[in-house]
Amino acid sequence: LLWRGTASHCRPVSSDDKSNIISMREFTVGLDTIDRISAVRLFVPQDTKPQEARKNIMKSLKEVQRRFPDGLPLLDPVKDLKIDVGEFNKLLQRASELKERLAAHKLTTDVNEKE
């Protein structure tokens, strides 16, 4: 019997968890929930139902975490995807400027100070 649910029903493994209760779970993720995309790519077997396949995926994920302890590198559209269009570069710069302005805005800084 496979577990069925959503990402909201799962949590990351903590150091307090016993190894016999840790399990790999598979669920569907909508495009609207994706915030960023990493440059790291893992190859996942076609059939992930067998326990051995999920264990191999877990080993691969642990290896990725070992190699990138500071976090996964994000996919760079200019370097990784080779998008070199002047308008796109302008849009990227504009998005970066807006993020900086939003981070420096009084409403954002006031909320962070209250927490």
Side-chain angles (χ1 to χ4, degrees):
L1 180 65
L2 288 176
W3 175 85
R4 300 199 188 277
T6 64
S8 62
H9 294 102
C10 291
R11 65 170 175 78
V13 176
S14 71
S15 59
D16 299 335
D17 292 337
K18 295 181 178 108
S19 61
N20 62 342
I21 65 165
I22 297 173
S23 66
M24 293 286 293
R25 298 190 176 173
E26 179 180 332
F27 45 85
T28 307
V29 177
L31 286 177
D32 58 334
T33 61
I34 297 174
D35 185 35
R36 295 169 291 183
I37 298 178
S38 172
V40 175
R41 180 172 74 173
L42 289 179
F43 293 98
V44 179
Q46 287 287 88
D47 186 14
T48 57
K49 290 180 182 165
Q51 185 72 22
E52 189 63 33
R54 292 191 302 238
K55 283 184 180 180
N56 288 337
I57 295 170
M58 175 70 89
K59 287 178 190 175
S60 297
L61 288 172
K62 285 183 180 181
E63 178 64 19
V64 167
Q65 287 176 333
R66 187 190 65 78
R67 289 185 185 185
F68 302 102
D70 298 331
L72 298 176
L74 296 179
L75 190 65
D76 186 319
V78 176
K79 286 189 341 188
D80 297 329
L81 301 177
K82 297 178 179 38
I83 297 175
D84 192 24
V85 179
E87 292 177 20
F88 184 73
N89 292 335
K90 287 180 188 176
L91 288 173
L92 282 177
Q93 181 155 358
R94 178 73 175 142
S96 176
E97 291 170 2
L98 289 174
K99 283 181 186 176
E100 289 174 13
R101 285 178 55 193
L102 181 62
H105 194 274
K106 183 180 176 183
L107 288 174
T108 306
T109 55
D110 286 347
V111 170
N112 290 338
E113 289 174 2
K114 290 179 183 176
E115 292 176 351

